[in-house]
Amino acid sequence: MARSSADPCIVVIFGASGDLTSRKLLPALHSLYLQELIAPGTSIVGTSRSAFSDDAFRKRIREGVRGYCGKNPVGASWNPFAQNIHYVSGDATDERSMQELGQELAQIDAEEGTKGNRVWYLATAPSLFSPIAGQIAKAGLLDTGGWQRLVVEKPFGFDLESARTLNASLADHYREDQIYRIDHYLGKETVQNVLVFRFANAIFEPIWNRRYIDHVQIMAAEQGGIEDRGTFYDQTGALRDVAQNHLLQLLSLIAMEPPVAWDADVIRDQKVQALKAVRRWSPDDCRSVVVRGQYEGYRQEEGVSSRSSTETFFAAKMYIDNWRWAEVPFYLRTGKKMPSKTTEIAIQFKRVPHLLFDRTAVQEIDPNLLVLRIQPDEGISLTFGTKVPGPEVEVRTVDMEFDYDSDFGSGRPAAYERLLLDCILGDPTLFARSDEIDQAWQIMDPIVKHWARGGRPRSYPPDTWGPEASDDLLRLDRRSWRNS
């Protein structure tokens, strides 16, 4: 990630006492500092209701950086970085607190030469996104003479109506090019490589269509449960936490048409067009094409209602109604308490139209399968048939493997490093645009409405691949899930 330094700026983190700041944001900024990818003088100001002095906040952050780095960051790699970390206690929805924050930022501008450049990072509960963004503007903190960029975490809305309301609220104070809706999946090198894989290799694009591809499976399985996120997760669920954003982002990258340039708007235009083509199910359709589940024991987790109907598993069949993908099913699946942690995209090609060999000789051969492994064992595999050595013609399926660590080492930048740097540099390519959010919710909103009619998720035991109904989703199409 060798890129030139950006302008010096102040990164203001709302909700700075939270887990995201200590585990992801500050470690990522520390790593960028070590690589000299952020300009000298760039400062970090955390703010939340918790009472910390600058030193107490730095100490708290240091523990997060230590865990991220795997070594003690105190010393040459820490002290110069820490001196530019500041903290302001206050309620970000309160006008007086925001004015005090503004005074601190103005002082840093004068001392460090940050020229009024701001990254406003909303690492808070989603209900606070709009109030905080409004207070920033109301307090006059956007009128600094420098550039302004607002970073909004997911989930971006809880349904189509709330997403549109939030978009409209932000648009009252910020231009679209100032809003960075972050999805950390897009910061993963393996996700970005989907585009490179598709459009830098001439051998794949000619067969990337309904004539050769039988179906596509996109899976994001998590081995753990909800851990200490019970209160948040019980209000969110698998659809809002993963499916509406992560899974649809992966779908759009697989399904999009070739962009004419590596340009933020051009790439995002094509992603939006792909999402527009996704078939909209009616709430009644959802009975046969969507499965929701809840792992056994979920309602006994801390912070979870004993009557909760929140899903911890989601699976759906989708179609993209255009010439490239007509009648090719895309199967999406995500869940917690799965047998393994795996995020992958599996492209299943059609069987050969005519077998040249005796069927007894090809019992072990399957259709070609291309698997893009997003995490944790990042890589790409392709299966194909080959002859087994010997006098008889015996055909067997073998794998051709590419492994990121083997070829490039394990030094890839973390997702938040890439995304924070892109935000500081003003590159929105890997961030979602308002129309992209709108299209994603148009796809998912009928499912939300279907579930709102009542009923409970299907129960499934931990360490399994979800409820049996998800297997039926494919079995009825004479297909089966690829379980890693």
Side-chain angles (χ1 to χ4, degrees):
M1 198 167 61
R3 302 169 70 173
S4 59
S5 295
D7 298 331
C9 66
I10 303 176
V11 180
V12 184
I13 302 175
F14 295 93
S17 61
D19 188 56
L20 178 64
T21 301
S22 60
R23 284 199 311 112
K24 298 292 186 181
L25 302 184
L26 264 296
L29 288 166
H30 176 256
S31 179
L32 293 174
Y33 170 81
L34 290 180
Q35 298 172 72
E36 299 182 351
L37 292 171
I38 53 179
T42 294
S43 299
I44 300 158
V45 176
T47 182
S48 72
R49 294 180 180 180
S50 301
F52 290 110
S53 65
D54 284 356
D55 286 341
F57 182 64
R58 290 165 184 165
K59 182 178 180 180
R60 176 187 178 88
I61 294 305
R62 184 176 63 186
E63 297 306 312
V65 174
R66 176 185 289 122
Y68 181 87
C69 295
K71 59 183 179 181
N72 192 329
V74 176
S77 68
W78 175 252
N79 292 335
F81 174 72
Q83 70 182 7
N84 284 331
I85 298 176
H86 309 270
Y87 185 83
V88 177
S89 177
D91 180 353
T93 63
D94 175 70
E95 186 174 350
R96 183 173 179 178
S97 294
M98 199 64 74
Q99 290 173 350
E100 292 175 357
L101 174 63
Q103 293 170 4
E104 176 75 10
L105 300 179
Q107 184 175 342
I108 295 173
D109 275 340
E111 294 175 354
E112 301 294 342
T114 42
K115 302 177 182 179
N117 298 324
R118 304 281 189 267
V119 172
W120 307 96
Y121 201 113
L122 304 185
T124 67
S127 60
L128 296 176
F129 292 166
S130 181
I132 293 175
Q135 282 292 347
I136 293 170
K138 186 177 179 180
L141 301 187
L142 300 178
D143 304 321
T144 62
W147 50 255
Q148 308 288 329
R149 289 162 194 155
L150 181 77
V151 183
V152 185
E153 273 282 347
K154 69 174 185 66
F156 197 89
F158 282 79
D159 54 19
L160 179 60
E161 182 180 359
S162 61
R164 286 177 171 173
T165 299
L166 179 54
N167 271 330
S169 174
L170 298 183
D172 286 340
H173 307 291
Y174 303 83
R175 302 188 311 270
E176 177 61 32
D177 63 1
Q178 293 177 317
I179 303 171
Y180 288 66
R181 300 169 188 83
I182 195 168
D183 183 338
H184 72 268
Y185 260 48
L186 292 180
K188 296 181 181 295
E189 289 287 329
T190 43
V191 172
Q192 298 164 48
N193 191 50
V194 173
L195 291 180
V196 175
F197 179 84
R198 283 192 59 189
F199 304 126
N201 297 291
I203 62 174
F204 293 109
E205 189 58 25
I207 60 172
W208 209 262
N209 55 61
R210 68 184 186 279
R211 183 175 180 183
Y212 298 98
I213 292 178
D214 179 77
H215 72 279
V216 178
Q217 295 184 26
I218 303 176
M219 178 176 69
E222 299 181 53
Q223 198 166 16
I226 60 172
E227 299 174 342
D228 57 353
R229 302 169 71 218
T231 302
F232 165 80
Y233 195 89
D234 204 40
Q235 299 173 1
T236 307
L239 182 149
R240 296 180 177 92
D241 193 40
V242 178
Q244 184 271 339
N245 36 72
H246 300 337
L247 295 188
L248 288 184
Q249 288 288 347
L250 296 177
L251 179 147
S252 67
L253 293 173
I254 290 294
M256 65 186 280
E257 293 299 314
V260 297
W262 191 273
D263 173 83
D265 282 334
V266 172
I267 290 174
R268 294 192 293 180
D269 284 347
Q270 294 300 339
K271 289 171 63 183
V272 169
Q273 289 302 314
L275 293 177
K276 281 183 177 180
V278 174
R279 186 178 301 176
R280 271 51 168 167
W281 299 121
S282 71
D284 290 337
D285 292 331
C286 293
R287 293 192 184 96
S288 60
V289 295
V290 178
V291 175
R292 64 171 169 164
Q294 185 184 90
Y295 65 76
E296 295 173 2
Y298 170 76
R299 278 176 265 170
Q300 285 73 54
E301 300 275 19
E302 185 177 352
V304 173
S305 168
S306 60
R307 300 169 60 89
S308 175
S309 60
T310 298
E311 76 285 355
T312 63
F313 176 93
F314 168 90
K317 176 170 68 174
M318 296 185 177
Y319 288 104
I320 299 174
D321 292 327
N322 60 22
W323 279 51
R324 181 186 291 268
W325 296 111
E327 300 309 315
V328 175
F330 282 67
Y331 299 102
L332 278 57
R333 178 173 57 161
T334 183
K336 291 188 176 293
K337 294 281 188 177
M338 304 273 99
S340 65
K341 178 180 175 65
T342 307
T343 300
E344 67 176 30
I345 304 166
I347 295 97
Q348 176 77 65
F349 291 90
K350 292 184 177 182
R351 294 184 178 276
V352 293
H354 175 67
L355 283 176
L356 304 177
F357 315 104
D358 187 317
R359 290 185 180 274
T360 60
V362 293
Q363 288 181 353
E364 296 184 47
I365 189 170
D366 296 314
N368 301 114
L369 177 69
L370 174 66
V371 179
L372 310 177
R373 299 192 304 272
I374 307 301
Q375 65 176 14
D377 300 318
E378 295 95 337
I380 300 171
S381 66
L382 176 66
T383 67
F384 55 92
T386 188
K387 180 183 177 298
V388 177
E392 303 295 329
V393 178
E394 181 181 355
V395 183
R396 183 176 299 172
T397 298
V398 296
D399 295 327
M400 183 164 58
E401 292 277 346
F402 157 69
D403 180 78
Y404 263 82
D405 286 349
S406 298
D407 284 80
F408 299 127
S410 58
R412 297 183 299 281
Y416 276 99
E417 290 180 34
R418 173 64 187 267
L419 294 172
L420 281 167
L421 180 60
D422 281 355
C423 182
I424 292 171
L425 291 169
D427 182 352
T429 304
L430 301 178
F431 295 83
R433 210 167 54 189
S434 61
D435 53 348
E436 191 174 342
I437 296 292
D438 193 87
Q439 290 299 322
W441 270 120
Q442 285 189 44
I443 295 167
M444 292 297 183
D445 205 52
I447 300 173
V448 173
K449 288 178 176 165
H450 169 62
W451 290 348
R453 294 177 175 179
R456 286 190 174 275
R458 300 170 187 266
S459 179
Y460 65 95
D463 300 321
T464 66
W465 291 105
E468 291 184 7
S470 69
D471 294 327
D472 295 338
L473 193 65
L474 276 73
R475 189 179 296 122
L476 293 173
D477 295 340
R478 298 183 178 180
R479 299 183 178 98
S480 60
W481 288 111
R482 167 186 152 78
N483 292 331
S484 301

